[in-house]
Amino acid sequence: QDEWICIALLFAITQQFPDTIVQLHDSDGEVLLIEAALDLPKWLEPDTSDDRIFVANGKLQIVPPPSPAPGYGSLPPDPTCMQALAIVRASLLMLRGDAGMGGAVTAATEASAAIQQTIHQRIQGYPSAAIRDSKHRCFCHIPKSVAMLLRTRPQLLSAAVRCFYERGPEDLKSASAMQRFGKDEWVREKVHFTKCLFAQLSKQQFYAPKGFVLPPKEDPNFAQHERGMKVAA
């Protein structure tokens, strides 16, 4: 999900700022080509795609190889990144009807409608849909002061969970003391997590500090008490 949120944002940025040209890769290579594999031209393979794939004007751009077609004969067979950027920029200017294209080769680089549709179907609704789907709400039994703090500054929850998840021996000693919230009034509060934060908190083993009593595991409210203890710690 995170990768496609970033890709959707990059498409939106290039649409908002027409002079911006983006090149992106992931650990598998040309992620956009992988997504649109069924619609790619036959000549485009992993070993022929270097410095040919860009995002500009909110659309996928593919620098084509040389061919007999008008405007394509002088294209470099193996373009450098700078050559490819110049070709994409010239193509964008040509679409805008800009006469000031200089000496750049003017071949159309905008990918086919089928490729554009495949990519845009994949990023449709991002990032708002992904952010919405990542949310998780559940009850926690937490100190009243913590509940009030999270109501006004909910972003602190991620920092608290991260510190708990990455805690070391000294952090564990401090958390187990429960000095700040140990005597506070505890309340039942609906807390807004992301799914990732909820999983990080729930899967961590943490024994109740001395003097802190959890209900029996058979109690239907045990999980919210345990979660609240971890948040407070």
Side-chain angles (χ1 to χ4, degrees):
Q1 292 274 23
D2 291 348
E3 179 176 69
W4 283 100
I5 290 175
C6 293
I7 291 172
L9 288 172
L10 289 171
F11 269 81
I13 288 169
T14 63
Q15 192 165 22
Q16 184 70 25
F17 302 97
D19 292 329
T20 302
I21 301 174
V22 171
Q23 185 179 40
L24 56 92
H25 307 271
D26 69 0
S27 57
D28 294 322
E30 296 284 359
V31 59
L32 298 177
L33 294 192
I34 295 171
E35 187 65 26
L38 297 178
D39 301 306
L40 297 178
K42 293 181 179 179
W43 64 265
L44 191 56
E45 300 285 346
D47 57 349
T48 61
S49 65
D50 289 349
D51 291 322
R52 291 189 182 276
I53 312 303
F54 299 88
V55 178
N57 199 31
K59 295 183 178 180
L60 185 68
Q61 310 287 330
I62 301 176
V63 176
S67 74
Y72 290 74
S74 57
L75 289 171
D78 297 301
T80 64
C81 186
M82 294 303 294
Q83 287 175 322
L85 285 170
I87 294 168
V88 172
R89 188 171 290 110
S91 175
L92 295 174
L93 291 172
M94 182 173 60
L95 285 174
R96 298 176 202 163
D98 194 324
M101 293 181 289
V105 177
T106 54
T109 61
E110 187 175 302
S112 69
I115 293 176
Q116 305 292 356
Q117 183 178 6
T118 298
I119 298 298
H120 282 277
Q121 282 180 342
R122 183 66 176 83
I123 62 177
Q124 189 174 12
Y126 282 82
S128 55
I131 293 172
R132 183 181 64 248
D133 293 342
S134 73
K135 293 185 182 299
H136 182 83
R137 300 170 181 83
C138 63
F139 284 105
C140 295
H141 193 70
I142 55 178
K144 187 174 183 180
S145 55
V146 174
M148 295 175 64
L149 186 63
L150 292 179
R151 288 175 198 168
T152 56
R153 300 183 66 185
Q155 69 273 19
L156 292 178
L157 181 65
S158 63
V161 173
R162 185 175 67 251
C163 289
F164 181 80
Y165 185 78
E166 298 174 354
R167 65 192 183 278
E170 288 300 316
D171 300 319
L172 185 59
K173 183 178 179 181
S174 175
S176 297
M178 200 76 77
Q179 291 179 345
R180 180 175 293 275
F181 303 118
K183 297 181 180 180
D184 201 351
E185 179 187 353
W186 290 63
V187 295
R188 185 173 181 260
E189 179 79 5
K190 181 174 280 189
V191 178
H192 293 227
F193 294 86
T194 63
K195 291 178 181 178
C196 179
L197 290 176
F198 179 78
Q200 287 180 326
L201 190 74
S202 299
K203 297 300 181 182
Q204 285 287 297
Q205 189 174 45
F206 182 70
Y207 297 103
K210 186 177 181 180
F212 190 95
V213 180
L214 288 173
K217 288 190 175 182
E218 302 78 35
D219 190 307
N221 295 321
F222 173 81
Q224 62 183 263
H225 280 259
E226 185 184 45
R227 283 194 298 270
M229 174 189 67
K230 292 177 179 179
V231 170

